Amino acid sequence: MDTPAHDNTATPARRALDALADNTEDMAALHTLAISEVLVPVPDDVDEADAADPAAVALPVIEQPGGEPTVPVFTSEPAMAELLPFVHRYRLVPLGALAAQWPADDLALSIDAGSPHPLTLTSEGVRTLLAQA
């Protein structure tokens, strides 16, 4: 049961995802999303020193059912805990900064997977839509 303290719809990034569910070409929502900070889970195999290094962010990569490697990020702690309850460390990263340095390979980005309005972008989509902020 959701309580007001766990209501992740209040964040600007969450509202942007909801708006994009209705209109995928909503440039204001894309801009809001691009300037928002997201929670990037820190992989278990990353030590504390590397996890705290502000110059580097280790991307957690999971395999989607179709085999596409995907990096999950979240707009709030409750959204992350719902899908990845075992994750206890994360970094707050501006989504636009993450997108500006996105790898050129076929690595997708999934924002709030498991929520009512998730957004998954291809590698090209990440670089072209979100790096413009």
Side-chain angles (χ1 to χ4, degrees):
M1 178 165 91
D2 283 345
T3 62
H6 288 86
D7 182 7
N8 65 3
T9 61
T11 67
R14 181 71 253 162
R15 286 193 300 271
L17 288 176
D18 293 341
L20 289 167
D22 292 332
N23 177 6
T24 59
E25 296 181 16
D26 185 333
M27 295 309 288
L30 282 171
H31 177 73
T32 298
L33 198 57
I35 63 171
S36 297
E37 287 188 327
V38 292
L39 286 68
V40 179
V42 174
D44 289 338
D45 60 349
V46 174
D47 64 36
E48 288 300 322
D50 289 339
D53 182 356
V57 176
L59 298 176
V61 179
I62 59 173
E63 292 287 325
Q64 293 291 70
E68 182 177 29
T70 303
V71 173
V73 298
F74 301 91
T75 59
S76 67
E77 286 182 354
M80 184 174 72
E82 199 169 301
L83 188 67
L84 302 173
F86 53 87
V87 171
H88 302 288
R89 299 185 305 166
Y90 62 85
R91 301 270 305 262
L92 274 175
V93 179
L95 189 55
L98 187 64
Q101 299 178 28
W102 201 253
D105 56 4
D106 291 330
L107 186 62
L109 175 72
S110 181
I111 306 169
D112 280 359
S115 74
H117 299 133
L119 177 65
T120 300
L121 296 170
T122 64
S123 184
E124 181 180 334
V126 171
R127 289 188 305 275
T128 58
L129 295 177
L130 297 178
Q132 300 173 19

